[in-house]
Amino acid sequence: MSGSKTKTSQSRRRFLRDAARTAAGVGAAATVLGLQSMQSQARDGAGVPIRPPGALPKGEFEKACVRCGLCVQACPYDTLKLATLLSSVESGTPYFTARDIPCEMCEDIPCVPACPSGALDPNLTNIDDARMGTAVLIDHESCLNWQGLRCDVCYRVCPLIDEAITLEHVRNERTGYHAKLIPTVHSDKCTGCGKCEEACVTEVAAIKIIPTELAKGKMGAHYQLGWEEINKTLENSAPEVPTEALETLGGKL
Amino acid sequence: MAKNLAQNAGKDAIRELGWWRAHRFLLLRRFCQLLIVILFMAGPTLGVLKGNLSSSNLFDVVPMSDPLIVMQTLAAGHLPEATVLIGVIVVVAFYAVLSPRAFCGWVCPLNVVTDFAAFLRRKLKLKTSFRWSANIRYWLIPVLLLGSALSGSVLWAWIDPVAALHRGLVFGFGAGWVLIAFVFLLDLLLVEHGWCGHLCPLGATYGVIGRKSLLRVVAVEREKCTKCMDCYYVCPEPEVLRQPLKEGDRRVMDQNCISCGRCIDVCAEKVFEFKNRISVKQID
């Protein structure tokens, strides 16, 4: 009687042990799959995670970054963060969220020389050449200037005011005699620092930094803008005209 | 003396040698691990160690880089700047000369977690459960390199619990604690020494690096061994102790030894010592 009882308790114990192990194994697999799925859906609050200045293009950066966080520690404004397991960028890689803390565009760019691997391009020495992303006035429906009001905050805070963001005058059809001053980003100058996104006064920013490859369209080489073509010299027939002759004719080369 | 029980491992040594002496390498290791983590956490404020275990610099002068991460970067197709490459040379040279897997025993913060799991296992009398091959970790290295080449990313960095723990301590955990809990449960419930002894490819890398290193545990007084088994119970890689305790070479020459010196601590008969492997070559 007692013998069979021991046998039962042993087999029960074995069953419980195996069940616990199976549960642990299945739980482990489920956790890995769940983490993978959660990461693919991850969003870091408002906005898109932006890489530090000088970051190699997407695809190259993920190979080159050794996840050391030296750039994060070098950043004097706590702009840069290191991604964790469930961030929307690879865990251990640096990023910032412009709406929270934008890049202050330090003149000495301390994050770049801190990078030991070249994931942040050491050839970037002028911060104005950085292309972290591109500002896009992504929702003009909620932009105050688009309503005909004078907010101008994004334009005012832009470190490259009148270069990266200009105000373009457009007729205000509602009143019929006012102008709307439309904040207009020029992607050849915008560094993607995110000061505009941070400063945007609306509840959710109307202007946002997004990756340049998403922000930019492309017209295509076959479009020729007549008003620009007219000022270009023709490739095959650049005339050998003496400058004195041009002066007398009042033309320009 | 007969075989001791696993949960009593080290008690003889405490009785014979006193608590401090029976814990000296354990305490030294914990001090070393803690000091390194604190210096990293203080980061630029103190200016001693910046970065993290993936890549760092000491006093802004000596670069140090994780060889496994850099191998993955290379496999993915990026040739890093000189700083990282010099950093790898520094790290490899240091551990190649010092002692096998000294990183695992003296630097790696996850060692504290897995040691705790092993401790609980002994105290709760959890017997060996699954058995895995201890060579999985060595296979994992080429798998990760291939995976990095195919995916164009530093593959292991996403899920590596060692990096997650260290990065978590220095920069914030996020959800990274899940990985640590994972390793703890694996070691406690599924496989004895499951992480460090079977899976961790970083430990395997340091094992390969330290193959010929100098400082080794040596069973100098193995004649005094009473077969109490205490050293086997506390050793995270018990296989490495088998040969040196029998006959022939007294040195622990296995690359899987993590040089933790816990066997020296718990041996009441003072069988083991750390020795330069070249100077003891002649013994036996």
Side-chain angles (χ1 to χ4, degrees):
Chain A
M1 183 66 192
S2 79
S4 79
K5 207 172 192 176
T6 325
K7 214 178 226 170
T8 324
S9 90
Q10 261 182 3
S11 73
R12 183 182 300 144
R13 194 174 297 170
R14 192 177 313 126
F15 168 77
L16 285 174
R17 193 185 59 199
D18 289 350
R21 278 179 204 157
T22 313
V26 171
T31 313
V32 169
L33 291 174
L35 285 175
Q36 168 66 51
S37 150
M38 277 171 81
Q39 192 193 20
S40 69
Q41 299 164 20
R43 296 282 174 275
D44 290 284
V48 185
I50 308 294
R51 296 296 190 191
L56 299 180
K58 191 174 170 59
E60 291 301 309
F61 183 79
E62 290 75 10
K63 292 179 192 174
C65 173
V66 293
R67 281 76 166 155
C68 67
L70 281 164
C71 55
V72 176
Q73 291 182 336
C75 177
Y77 296 99
D78 280 343
T79 300
L80 295 176
K81 302 278 180 276
L82 214 51
T84 58
L85 188 62
L86 290 184
S87 304
S88 51
V89 288
E90 289 75 5
S91 70
T93 56
Y95 72 97
F96 69 95
T97 308
R99 187 67 164 165
D100 299 336
I101 312 179
C103 173
E104 294 287 342
M105 289 176 60
C106 314
E107 271 189 38
D108 53 345
I109 333 180
C111 48
V112 171
C115 178
S117 73
L120 305 182
D121 187 352
N123 295 320
L124 179 75
T125 48
N126 178 2
I127 188 65
D128 291 348
D129 296 336
R131 293 292 177 269
M132 296 170 261
T134 301
V136 178
L137 181 56
I138 206 160
D139 181 16
H140 67 248
E141 289 175 319
S142 60
C143 169
L144 299 185
N145 273 36
W146 265 95
Q147 311 307 313
L149 305 171
R150 286 298 301 275
C151 164
D152 301 1
V153 166
C154 54
Y155 164 78
R156 294 280 164 206
V157 297
C158 179
L160 295 171
I161 183 170
D162 282 324
E163 291 180 65
I165 302 185
T166 56
L167 293 176
E168 302 293 327
H169 293 230
V170 169
R171 184 180 159 83
N172 186 340
E173 298 288 354
R174 182 176 59 82
T175 62
Y177 54 86
H178 293 99
K180 291 179 180 179
L181 274 65
I182 305 301
T184 306
V185 177
H186 302 276
S187 60
D188 56 333
K189 291 278 195 269
C190 175
T191 63
C193 71
K195 295 286 272 187
C196 53
E197 182 178 341
E198 185 216 14
C200 181
V201 300
T202 53
E203 202 170 302
V204 175
I207 189 167
K208 286 177 180 159
I209 307 296
I210 59 177
T212 305
E213 66 269 21
L214 270 181
K216 286 293 288 174
K218 193 180 175 191
M219 202 182 272
H222 58 288
Y223 283 96
Q224 299 196 328
L225 307 177
W227 58 92
E228 285 182 7
E229 294 300 321
I230 207 160
N231 289 325
K232 286 185 189 165
T233 51
L234 291 173
E235 268 175 33
N236 299 329
S237 58
E240 290 283 330
V241 188
T243 32
E244 310 88 61
L246 269 178
E247 273 169 23
T248 37
L249 292 167
K252 54 177 182 169
L253 199 61
Chain B
M1 202 189 285
K3 192 173 155 182
N4 285 341
L5 292 170
Q7 67 264 32
N8 293 329
K11 286 204 173 148
D12 287 350
I14 295 173
R15 201 168 44 241
E16 294 291 321
L17 309 169
W19 192 90
W20 288 97
R21 170 100 200 221
H23 289 89
R24 57 187 168 142
F25 282 112
L26 185 66
L27 292 171
L28 271 176
R29 284 197 308 122
R30 294 289 178 257
F31 176 75
C32 184
Q33 288 161 332
L34 195 67
L35 181 71
I36 288 170
V37 163
I38 287 173
L39 287 177
F40 269 116
M41 286 172 84
T45 319
L46 265 184
V48 181
L49 275 171
K50 292 184 195 169
N52 62 32
L53 290 178
S54 303
S55 194
S56 57
N57 56 53
L58 182 63
F59 296 114
D60 275 330
V61 179
V62 187
M64 292 179 285
S65 306
D66 179 327
L68 186 62
I69 292 224
V70 175
M71 281 199 295
Q72 289 175 82
T73 297
L74 287 169
H78 172 80
L79 182 66
E81 292 289 310
T83 317
V84 153
L85 297 175
I86 296 169
V88 171
I89 294 170
V90 169
V91 167
V92 170
F94 181 74
Y95 289 110
V97 172
L98 183 65
S99 195
R101 289 179 68 186
F103 173 86
C104 302
W106 295 77
V107 178
C108 180
L110 199 62
N111 170 266
V112 182
V113 175
T114 56
D115 271 359
F116 182 57
F119 170 81
L120 281 182
R121 226 175 209 279
R122 287 197 300 275
K123 294 297 169 192
L124 300 175
K125 298 172 216 167
L126 297 171
K127 294 282 175 246
T128 326
S129 10
F130 284 122
R131 283 192 179 280
W132 285 350
S133 161
N135 286 329
I136 302 175
R137 50 189 158 175
Y138 290 101
W139 286 104
L140 215 47
I141 299 174
V143 167
L144 292 177
L145 296 184
L146 190 66
S148 296
L150 291 176
S151 68
S153 177
V154 182
L155 199 61
W156 192 235
W158 178 53
I159 209 156
D160 179 11
V162 176
L165 177 56
H166 191 257
R167 231 163 30 211
L169 289 167
V170 182
F171 295 95
F173 273 97
W177 62 269
V178 174
L179 299 172
I180 322 296
F182 225 39
V183 167
F184 179 73
L185 291 176
L186 166 78
D187 272 30
L188 185 67
L189 299 174
L190 288 180
V191 183
E192 195 169 17
H193 310 302
W195 183 257
C196 307
H198 298 80
L199 287 183
C200 182
L202 186 58
T205 309
Y206 281 112
V208 175
I209 292 169
R211 281 176 79 92
K212 303 284 177 200
S213 52
L214 295 179
L215 203 60
R216 302 283 174 151
V217 172
V218 180
V220 273
E221 303 271 11
R222 71 174 165 214
E223 289 73 20
K224 292 187 184 164
C225 174
T226 59
K227 299 194 168 50
C228 70
M229 300 298 281
D230 279 5
C231 55
Y232 278 85
Y233 293 139
V234 298
C235 179
E237 301 274 350
E239 289 300 314
V240 310
L241 291 173
R242 206 173 286 276
Q243 196 277 322
L245 281 173
K246 281 190 210 152
E247 52 200 41
D249 199 345
R250 290 165 182 266
R251 303 167 299 171
V252 175
M253 293 303 281
D254 196 307
Q255 68 189 40
N256 288 336
C257 171
I258 72 164
S259 306
C260 67
R262 191 73 185 121
C263 52
I264 307 178
D265 278 351
V266 299
C267 183
E269 283 71 33
K270 301 188 202 165
V271 167
F272 300 103
E273 268 178 57
F274 270 124
K275 291 255 182 208
N276 179 346
R277 74 176 168 91
I278 296 169
S279 70
V280 289
K281 211 167 192 176
Q282 305 311 321
I283 299 182
D284 240 20

